Amino acid sequence: MGVSTTPVREALGRITQDGGLHFAGPKTIEVPVLSSEQFTELEDIRIALERTLAASIIENTDEKFLNKLIDVNDEFARFREQGKYSKALEKNLEFHFMLYERANKRFAVRLLEIAWLVTGPMLGKLYPRYSREESGVHYHKAAIEAIRSQDANALAEALVGDISTGYAKIRAAVEEELASS
């Protein structure tokens, strides 16, 4: 790929430091499997941080941003309907990080980046089985409406609902997978 080993080693070290990878041996790197407790901790972290960011998101939103957010959510919904799940996941991530960045809270965003990094490999378990449920689209639309009406409490509730519902679906998928093994 035309890349020297030093930047690759540094990148892998950073991702490992953030918990996205695990050194299993001298030349072996794995994606860690989260325990139920770790997964719950990440869910709690996201809920606390996103609830905290809601008022700042509202304060820093303008019509141009809101229209872009709507476009991203429409793409998210369209990719889900088309069965393009990796694209849908990308748009879901883009939607959330647009909100985070709008809050202008650098440290909170960094913590959320780590939470998403560690949780990321499990997000694929949502599709295709849970793609028929439109809870993600529903909560995103509720978040957009809350922003439109400048209601920080409603935005916080939409974000918490999205997180709780998504994590519950991932838990169910993992439990099904374990039961069938």
Side-chain angles (χ1 to χ4, degrees), residues 19-102:
L21 294 172
H22 166 72
F23 283 113
K27 294 186 178 187
T28 306
I29 298 175
E30 301 174 332
V31 175
V33 176
L34 299 175
S35 69
S36 179
E37 294 80 18
Q38 290 169 319
F39 196 67
T40 298
E41 181 181 359
L42 288 167
E43 179 182 13
D44 292 345
I45 288 168
R46 279 197 54 204
I47 287 171
L49 287 171
E50 292 190 35
R51 187 182 298 278
T52 301
L53 294 180
S56 296
I57 293 167
I58 296 287
E59 290 171 12
N60 295 307
T61 297
D62 57 22
E63 195 66 31
K64 182 178 175 183
F65 171 80
L66 187 58
N67 289 333
K68 175 65 175 158
L69 195 64
I70 291 167
D71 290 345
V72 169
N73 192 54
D74 289 346
E75 290 178 275
F76 167 60
R78 187 173 59 252
F79 285 136
R80 279 182 60 260
E81 290 168 6
Q82 295 171 348
K84 296 179 179 176
Y85 304 122
S86 63
K87 292 279 189 195
L89 286 170
E90 287 174 20
K91 289 300 171 181
N92 183 54
L93 183 72
E94 183 179 352
F95 181 90
H96 285 273
F97 275 88
M98 284 179 67
L99 292 173
Y100 304 158
E101 296 295 335
R102 189 51 57 155

Side-chain angles (χ1 to χ4, degrees), residues 1-10:
M1 296 177 73
V3 178
S4 71
T5 57
T6 301
V8 172
R9 189 179 311 117
E10 288 175 13

Side-chain angles (χ1 to χ4, degrees), residues 53 68 115 122 131 138 142 147:
L53 294 180
K68 175 65 175 158
M122 300 183 84
S131 65
H138 165 76
I147 293 168

